[in-house]
Amino acid sequence: MQFNFFPSRQISLYMARLFLTRTFAVLALLVVVLQTLDLLGNSGDVLAYPGNGDAQLWHYVGLRAPQIIARFLPFSVLLGTLVMLATLNQNSEIISMKAAGLSAHQILAPLVLAALGVSVISFVFNERIVARSTAALSAWEAVDYGPIPPDSGVKSNPWVRDGNNLVNAAIVAGRGTQVQLRKVQIYNRINNSLTTIVQAPKGHYDAASKSWLLEGARQFDVARGTVTNVGTVRFGRDIRPDQFTLAKVDPDALTFRELEAAISDLHDAGRPTAELEGSLWHKLSGPLSALLMPILGSVAAFGLARSGQLFMRAVLGMALGFAYFVADNFSLAMGSLGAYPPVLAAWAPFFLFLLVGETVLFRTEE
């Protein structure tokens, strides 16, 4: 095997251009179809809030589309690779390249380099756009697609126990003693029986008294069925601010640095962090999965098209690619359960299928 992976500049540019155009064409098709189906399933919930209309539907699309793009970009790389390589094989272009002295790795090298670029774009896209849109969509869903307070953060719908009572806030903004609560509900219980429900549009932490204050609160008496305006309510002297801000950490709604900081805060508070550590490492291994797709799909490039095995080779490449995604999700699930260490849960499928792809390529073509 030769070790000059880019012997021809023209062929390298030709292969990279074909790879990128097929990949992003497949991605555009998937996003249009999946976004349409998702909008059909959720448009009723968006329009159910009084006053919502076409503008809110387009706002929902703007927040949901980045999530769909991030999730299905590796699938698009796989399908784009298979379409491209199968077409080149069908037109005997792969045979011409091999007749010119190019090895299988030299043919795939431009694709791998282009896939590395896609991985970098995917990581930056996740950090700059997907995390923010996920946080905004979660906050919007928490208020039933109604108006969101301008100071709302990325935390939504945490539950905290206050003795025998339960406290829920739709949105939590800020950190430390500057935490602000929106749409707060306190479920007061006696002997595990619900007695009253206190609701307030907003609340905040009072550092002087080390307790929480609700403003404009109303109390619903379960036994009598009456509602009473109670004004300002003080509660939760034993509830720390970090119990709200760290009660529910959504790794998809945080950037790499933000998630790293949240894990550090949880660790300092003595909370388990193994699941979040796996998600942190997956923010790196996930985008790099695009790097595997040209190698796993390479079986569609080689072999004689006239032998009748081209379709089977394409199916094999697709099976290898989808097997990686299954193994990746399984490994993350095992990491969440504590069966795998976080680093192993995030990186093991990547290196395993890299070895599988290289083994198949060496044994069949090199």
Side-chain angles (χ1 to χ4, degrees), residues 272-344:
T273 60
E275 180 178 358
L276 293 177
E277 288 177 21
S279 299
L280 179 69
W281 285 110
H282 196 259
K283 284 183 176 291
L284 298 177
S285 64
L288 276 178
S289 63
L291 193 64
L292 289 177
M293 298 304 113
I295 299 174
L296 297 179
S298 64
V299 292
F302 307 106
L304 295 176
R306 296 180 181 179
S307 66
Q309 296 182 355
L310 179 59
F311 176 75
M312 294 303 300
R313 282 177 168 266
V315 171
L316 177 60
M318 187 177 298
L320 286 174
F322 280 94
Y324 165 76
F325 295 117
V326 172
D328 186 49
N329 290 329
F330 175 80
S331 182
L332 286 178
M334 291 295 100
S336 300
L337 295 174
Y340 292 173
V343 176
L344 182 64

Side-chain angles (χ1 to χ4, degrees), residues 186-201:
I186 303 176
Y187 297 86
N188 295 312
R189 303 186 301 173
I190 297 178
N191 297 326
N192 293 327
S193 296
L194 184 63
T195 57
T196 60
I197 301 176
V198 178
Q199 297 178 327

Side-chain angles (χ1 to χ4, degrees), residues 34-47:
L34 295 172
Q35 181 64 82
T36 301
L37 295 175
D38 181 79
L39 185 60
L40 288 174
N42 293 280
S43 58
D45 295 333
V46 177
L47 297 176

Side-chain angles (χ1 to χ4, degrees), residues 74-93:
F75 291 93
S76 302
V77 175
L78 173 63
L79 296 177
T81 300
L82 292 173
V83 170
M84 169 198 169
L85 293 180
T87 302
L88 292 179
N89 194 354
Q90 184 71 37
N91 296 333
S92 300
E93 293 180 72

Side-chain angles (χ1 to χ4, degrees), residues 206-240:
D206 183 13
S209 62
K210 295 184 178 180
S211 62
W212 297 84
L213 293 179
L214 298 183
E215 303 173 14
R218 298 188 306 167
Q219 180 173 284
F220 172 71
D221 192 301
V222 176
R224 298 179 181 179
T226 58
V227 178
T228 306
N229 292 323
V230 292
T232 301
V233 173
R234 190 181 300 273
F235 76 99
R237 293 184 180 275
D238 296 327
I239 298 177
R240 305 184 311 275

Side-chain angles (χ1 to χ4, degrees), residues 54-272:
D54 291 343
Q56 283 69 34
L57 288 178
W58 284 112
H59 181 59
Y60 174 82
V61 171
L63 295 177
R64 188 74 176 95
Q67 296 179 350
I68 296 176
I69 293 173
R71 175 166 296 182
F72 288 95
L73 180 57
F75 291 93
S76 302
V77 175
L78 173 63
L79 296 177
T81 300
L82 292 173
V83 170
M84 169 198 169
L85 293 180
T87 302
L88 292 179
N89 194 354
Q90 184 71 37
N91 296 333
S92 300
E93 293 180 72
I94 297 294
I95 295 178
S96 299
M97 294 179 192
K98 298 192 74 173
L102 298 183
S103 67
H105 281 85
Q106 288 173 325
I107 294 173
L108 294 177
L111 276 64
V112 174
L113 184 61
L116 179 60
V118 172
S119 297
V120 174
I121 294 173
S122 177
F123 177 78
V124 175
F125 182 73
N126 291 344
E127 291 289 291
R128 303 293 296 177
I129 297 178
V130 177
R132 296 178 182 178
S133 66
T134 301
L137 184 58
S138 298
W140 197 25
E141 290 175 342
V143 293
D144 299 324
Y145 301 104
I148 302 176
D151 60 348
S152 64
V154 297
K155 306 296 187 299
S156 62
N157 201 37
W159 288 83
V160 176
R161 182 182 292 274
D162 180 20
N164 196 40
N165 305 328
L166 298 176
V167 183
N168 171 250
I171 298 175
V172 179
R175 296 183 63 183
T177 58
Q178 303 300 317
V179 170
Q180 300 287 323
L181 307 180
R182 295 294 183 269
K183 200 175 179 181
V184 187
Q185 298 185 86
I186 303 176
Y187 297 86
N188 295 312
R189 303 186 301 173
I190 297 178
N191 297 326
N192 293 327
S193 296
L194 184 63
T195 57
T196 60
I197 301 176
V198 178
Q199 297 178 327
K202 60 182 180 178
H204 66 276
Y205 183 72
D206 183 13
S209 62
K210 295 184 178 180
S211 62
W212 297 84
L213 293 179
L214 298 183
E215 303 173 14
R218 298 188 306 167
Q219 180 173 284
F220 172 71
D221 192 301
V222 176
R224 298 179 181 179
T226 58
V227 178
T228 306
N229 292 323
V230 292
T232 301
V233 173
R234 190 181 300 273
F235 76 99
R237 293 184 180 275
D238 296 327
I239 298 177
R240 305 184 311 275
D242 66 89
Q243 289 182 259
F244 277 108
T245 57
L246 301 177
K248 182 181 179 182
V249 178
D250 183 3
D252 295 330
L254 301 177
T255 64
F256 186 89
R257 293 298 183 187
E258 291 171 343
L259 181 56
E260 192 175 36
I263 291 174
S264 178
D265 291 343
L266 284 169
H267 186 270
D268 292 341
R271 305 271 292 277

Side-chain angles (χ1 to χ4, degrees), residues 9-29:
R9 181 173 181 271
Q10 289 77 11
I11 291 180
S12 298
L13 292 176
Y14 173 69
M15 296 287 286
R17 184 174 66 252
L18 286 180
F19 170 77
L20 292 175
T21 54
R22 268 53 174 185
T23 294
F24 288 108
V26 172
L27 178 63
L29 178 62

